[in-house]
Structure formats: C-alpha cells, structure tokens
C-alpha cells in the first residue's frame, strides 16, 4: 500500500490522525505526516477511512 499526503492541500484538520493514529500524525505546524513506524501498520483498515474522512481529500491510498 502506498499513502500519499498532498501537503499543499492539507489544512491541518487532524481528522486523519484521529482516525488512524498509528499511521498519521501531525507535524509541528499541524499538517499531516506519516508516523515513524507507519510501515508496521499498513494493514490498518482505518487508513482508507482516514482518507475518506479528510475534508479536503489530501490523502491518496493505492
Ligand atoms: S485530515 Fe486531511 S486536512 Fe486534516 S490533517 Fe489529515 S490530511 Fe490534512
């Protein structure tokens, strides 16, 4: 699975980090980024839910 976060689009709403906290977190500026150990959690079904939950569709999962 490949996860792409479009940081030009992200508005720092934090929905992704709330939905799948093992995979998404927020950087010092509040923008979404992947956790250091996200590779260990790529089977988490909440990743796709986090993508759907993002209000600006900044997360692409394929
Ligand atoms: S839910 Fe979307 S807008 Fe909010 S922090 Fe995550 S990627 Fe950014």
């Amino acid at each position: 699975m490949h996860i792409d976060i479009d940081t030009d689009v992200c508005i720092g709403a934090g929905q992704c980090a709330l939905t799948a906290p093992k995979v998404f977190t927020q950087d010092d500026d509040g923008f979404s980024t992947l956790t250091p150990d996200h590779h260990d959690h790529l089977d988490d079904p909440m990743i796709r839910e986090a993508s759907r939950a993002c209000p600006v569709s900044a997360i692409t999962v394929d």
Side-chain angles (χ1 to χ4, degrees):
M1 176 184 288
H2 179 256
I3 303 169
D4 183 66
I5 303 170
D6 187 343
T7 51
D8 289 338
V9 175
C10 174
I11 57 171
Q15 277 300 117
C16 53
L18 285 172
T19 305
K22 291 177 181 169
V23 175
F24 298 99
T25 187
Q26 288 174 280
D27 66 16
D28 291 344
D29 295 319
F31 296 112
S32 179
T33 187
L34 296 171
T35 60
D37 62 346
H38 70 275
H39 287 292
D40 295 336
H41 305 287
L42 291 179
D43 59 346
D44 186 345
M46 295 307 283
I47 294 172
R48 290 186 189 280
E49 188 58 35
S51 175
R52 278 193 288 271
C54 176
V56 292
S57 302
I59 301 169
T60 305
V61 179
D62 56 28

